[in-house]
Amino acid sequence: MTTATHSSVTETAVKRAVPMNVFRQSAPLRTVCLENRELVGPGGVGTVRHLVFDTSAGPYPFLEGQSAGILPPGLDANGKPHKLRLYSIASTRHGDTGDGKTLSLCVRRLEYPHPETGETVYGVCSTYLCGLKVGDEVDVTGPTGKAMLLPDDPAATIVMLATGTGIAPFRAHLWRMFRENNTDYEFRGSAWLIFGIPTTPNILYREELEDFRQHANFRLTYAISREQKNAKGGRMYIQDRVAEHVGELWELLQRDNTHVFICGLRGMEDGIDAAFEAHTAPLGIQWAEYRKHLEKSHRWHVETY
């Protein structure tokens, strides 16, 4: 993974400060579920839950953009413990309550048809988490990950491209930028979120996102695939929005403190690259090479699955 810093000075400082694997599988942190609520509105597709866990038995130190490991109980078909699953943390280091004693996750229940029987198969860990009751205990490992950390520069331009539960780290970023009053981080840059979802009821954290619009330096663009059309009359996906605004996005990338964060389904990456390739080719610039430059400069951050 690339680190999420943009200069050698801050990179060294952040590397020293980033907590990593404080809790391991052999000795996880036992947390308690404090909240489990549905994020998908009536008529939406699937189930996505917002979960809050009490970490006061820790502490569990983490930074915005990191992930937590979940150990689902029980054994798999081979009689072995279920494998660890990683989920992006959807809260700041201070948690939803602001006291630094909770962490939040945004979890979609995985559902897919069995390739042979056609019966619906449910993901082991996501089903476990989505079915938690308040008071249930959950073993957590981590934190882990450096790819999605915010840059130290409070004047940076932050472009966030998310699909579905890929919104999780960006919720943490936006809270830190616009909701919290942090003496160590007073955001005065600009942020632009392009969010891809299938239907309007699937706009996760919609009320929060709309509230952030009161800030002049926050911009919000939706790509609602089953309701909106792209320029060719097909479904509107996040890569179509990138193509629609590629000129403006390209101009932003010319600033040495612009950072692009991509989180969600891996399938969107090719379309995003194609949009930039179509724009840069007439300029005599090879997008693949330019993206490598952004990656080496720690300004192109990707976490997809």
Side-chain angles (χ1 to χ4, degrees):
M1 287 184 177
T2 56
T3 56
T5 51
H6 62 275
S7 73
S8 59
V9 175
T10 55
E11 180 180 355
T12 301
V14 169
K15 279 186 176 178
R16 284 198 299 267
V18 177
M20 292 289 289
N21 296 311
V22 178
F23 295 93
R24 299 181 180 273
Q25 292 191 54
S26 58
L29 174 66
R30 182 62 57 87
T31 69
V32 178
C33 179
L34 298 178
E35 180 181 343
N36 181 357
R37 61 182 170 88
E38 180 62 52
L39 293 176
V40 177
V45 180
T47 292
V48 180
R49 311 291 294 188
H50 178 73
L51 297 124
V52 180
F53 299 96
D54 179 354
T55 61
S56 58
Y60 185 94
F62 66 91
L63 300 181
E64 298 75 22
Q66 288 194 285
S67 297
I70 301 295
L71 291 168
L75 304 175
D76 63 19
N78 297 317
K80 296 182 179 180
H82 290 298
K83 294 181 179 179
L84 177 79
R85 269 74 163 187
L86 292 176
Y87 292 89
S88 297
I89 299 174
S91 55
T92 72
R93 67 194 72 178
H94 305 295
D96 286 6
T97 55
D99 59 5
K101 295 181 179 180
T102 68
L103 70 80
S104 300
L105 300 180
C106 176
V107 179
R108 179 180 71 88
R109 186 177 66 181
L110 178 61
E111 303 177 26
Y112 60 94
H114 191 281
E116 297 177 0
T117 66
E119 295 181 4
T120 301
V121 178
Y122 298 97
V124 172
C125 194
S126 63
T127 299
Y128 161 64
L129 289 173
C130 289
L132 287 173
K133 295 181 174 60
V134 172
D136 286 349
E137 296 182 334
V138 178
D139 286 337
V140 177
T141 68
T144 187
K146 297 179 181 178
M148 303 299 285
L149 301 182
L150 277 173
D152 286 349
D153 182 4
T157 297
I158 308 296
V159 177
M160 297 164 281
L161 309 176
T163 60
T165 54
I167 192 67
F170 302 145
R171 178 181 186 259
H173 291 350
L174 291 169
W175 271 51
R176 185 154 176 80
M177 291 176 195
F178 300 119
R179 189 157 179 167
E180 297 180 341
N181 294 316
N182 296 298
T183 57
D184 62 329
Y185 181 79
E186 298 179 14
F187 186 69
R188 58 181 184 277
S190 63
W192 185 0
L193 169 64
I194 303 178
F195 190 14
I197 57 278
T199 70
T200 296
N202 284 91
I203 301 176
L204 310 178
Y205 304 110
R206 185 179 183 183
E207 290 185 6
E208 293 182 15
L209 296 179
E210 296 297 338
D211 284 344
F212 289 136
R213 280 190 169 183
Q214 67 181 301
H215 297 274
N217 52 345
F218 174 62
R219 182 172 173 182
L220 176 61
T221 304
Y222 295 123
I224 309 177
S225 62
R226 300 189 186 185
E227 299 174 12
Q228 298 173 332
K229 300 293 184 182
N230 61 26
K232 297 180 180 179
R235 288 187 172 187
M236 173 65 76
Y237 293 109
I238 192 166
Q239 53 265 39
D240 298 310
R241 285 295 187 209
V242 171
E244 185 178 283
H245 298 285
V246 69
E248 189 173 359
L249 290 167
W250 175 249
E251 289 300 318
L252 291 177
L253 284 176
Q254 305 317 296
R255 304 176 186 174
D256 61 9
N257 69 340
T258 292
H259 291 251
V260 174
F261 291 83
I262 301 174
C263 191
L265 296 175
R266 186 174 291 119
M268 66 175 156
E269 290 186 67
D270 288 346
I272 291 170
D273 283 334
F276 279 106
E277 285 172 2
H279 184 78
T280 58
L283 303 176
I285 298 172
Q286 291 187 340
W287 167 249
E289 292 301 314
Y290 193 85
R291 192 188 65 210
K292 288 180 182 178
H293 158 70
L294 295 173
E295 291 168 349
K296 289 179 180 179
S297 301
H298 308 292
R299 294 172 50 209
W300 188 265
H301 316 274
V302 180
E303 194 165 82
T304 56
Y305 40 84

